Amino acid sequence: MEQVIANGLYLGAQYALIALGLTLIFALMNVLNFAHGQMYVLGGFVTYTIYGQLKLPFVVALICSGVTLAIIGALMEKFLFRTVIRRSKREESTMLLAAATAFFLDAVMLLLFGEKQRGVPKIISGVFISERVILPYDRILVGVVAILMIAAFMVFMQYSRPGRAMRALAQDRVAAQLMGVKVERYSMIGFALGAMLAGVVGGLLVSITGVNSGIGGPISIKAFLMVMIGGAGVVGGAIAGGFILGMMESVGLATLREYGDITYLAIFALLMIFLSIRPHGLMGKPWG
């Protein structure tokens, strides 16, 4: 049981960090970013290139992943999503744009890196062994870094001026604009921050799971699962959804292994039952 909990916490920390970026973009702009998984993959490839190929320090590679994705996210918001939102009142327009962006990033990464699985040397070697828990030190490090980043994100959103402005936008966009909040500026900052979080997680996990150009879609599906569990647009819900999904996956892999790879089949079945009872998620509100 202790091993299952440890694995669940490790998975939950990284999943929560992925979901935070997606739910932040949705809360600020009402945009379902279907390219979120591709941003994760691109962050992994940036770390692979800088740390695995150029042999620069891992911390440098991780910072480069975050900065690169933040710049890409800011450019996407300014030149793509902002334009579509301004010209079209239909929500489907942003969904189609996000889907097209995901396909475009998939094609670019396939062209640049091919289909092969890419990996980098371990950040830290060794395994923590106790009577009931066995966990590699690199997984412990990644989990701790992810939890620290979640805490830093919460502090930033609670106490910084941009964080308060983005919270105001998420609560009432029109009222925030009337109070002097620069909607376009903080929407771009929020999109950049959400993309940066995806890139950093991709950079962290490339040393453990590796990365390839085909995993963007499955990562996006997991991110949407977490957002649906916690409640769309709710930061606390994204964190809760991440840890719940991590625990469910850990329990499923431990208990359903003898029946084959049906863990996610069971998770999707439970999610359908849950959403039929509470369609707005754990922390979401029926009115939005």
Side-chain angles (χ1 to χ4, degrees):
M1 178 58 70
E2 289 83 355
Q3 183 69 54
V4 171
I5 293 173
N7 290 336
L9 290 174
Y10 158 72
L11 291 171
Q14 56 178 286
Y15 287 167
L17 201 54
I18 296 172
L20 275 178
L22 181 63
T23 205
L24 176 63
I25 293 171
F26 181 80
L28 291 177
M29 303 176 62
N30 201 30
V31 169
L32 287 172
N33 183 22
F34 291 107
H36 202 70
Q38 282 72 15
M39 292 175 171
Y40 165 98
V41 176
L42 188 55
F45 277 129
V46 172
T47 298
Y48 161 76
T49 301
I50 295 175
Y51 176 60
Q53 299 297 304
L54 301 180
K55 308 301 181 183
L56 294 176
F58 182 78
V59 174
V60 173
L62 201 60
I63 292 172
C64 289
S65 292
V67 171
T68 301
L69 268 296
I71 293 172
I72 291 174
L75 293 175
M76 284 174 57
E77 192 283 330
K78 184 174 183 179
F79 295 108
L80 296 177
F81 287 96
R82 186 185 303 180
T83 303
V84 170
I85 291 171
R86 185 185 298 123
R87 294 181 179 179
S88 175
K89 301 299 181 183
R90 297 174 65 91
E91 293 183 0
E92 307 94 283
S93 300
T94 57
M95 294 173 64
L96 290 172
L97 175 60
T101 304
F103 293 137
F104 173 77
L105 291 177
D106 272 336
V108 169
M109 290 185 290
L110 182 61
L111 180 65
L112 293 177
F113 299 100
E115 297 179 349
K116 291 183 179 180
Q117 181 81 0
R118 308 287 180 174
V120 299
K122 285 184 174 292
I123 313 170
I124 182 173
S125 58
V127 179
F128 172 79
I129 300 176
S130 68
E131 292 182 358
R132 299 182 179 181
V133 177
I134 300 175
L135 206 61
Y137 285 127
D138 56 349
R139 296 197 175 198
I140 296 174
L141 179 61
V142 167
V144 170
V145 170
I147 291 172
L148 290 176
M149 288 189 65
I150 292 170
F153 175 85
M154 297 297 290
V155 171
F156 173 80
M157 292 297 292
Q158 187 72 28
Y159 297 107
S160 71
R161 183 176 179 180
R164 290 195 296 267
M166 286 188 282
R167 284 167 52 214
L169 278 179
Q171 291 172 12
D172 194 320
R173 193 177 184 90
V174 176
Q177 191 170 14
L178 292 174
M179 293 297 293
V181 175
K182 296 182 179 180
V183 173
E184 291 185 348
R185 173 191 293 179
Y186 288 107
S187 293
M188 184 172 68
I189 292 173
F191 206 106
L193 182 58
M196 183 197 74
L197 290 174
V200 169
V201 182
L204 280 172
L205 293 182
V206 71
S207 65
I208 296 176
T209 60
V211 67
N212 66 70
S213 57
I215 62 172
I219 294 296
S220 291
I221 291 173
K222 285 187 178 183
F224 286 122
L225 273 176
M226 293 176 271
V227 170
M228 286 188 291
I229 292 170
V234 183
V235 170
I239 297 172
F243 279 99
I244 289 172
L245 181 62
M247 284 295 179
M248 291 175 69
E249 186 172 328
S250 179
V251 171
L253 291 173
T255 58
L256 302 177
R257 186 179 303 168
E258 60 188 50
Y259 301 104
D261 191 14
I262 64 169
T263 298
Y264 266 90
L265 178 64
I267 289 175
F268 276 116
L270 291 172
L271 179 65
M272 287 189 294
I273 297 171
F274 170 74
L275 289 177
S276 68
I277 299 171
R278 193 173 177 85
H280 46 276
L282 285 174
M283 299 184 183
K285 303 297 182 183
W287 57 87

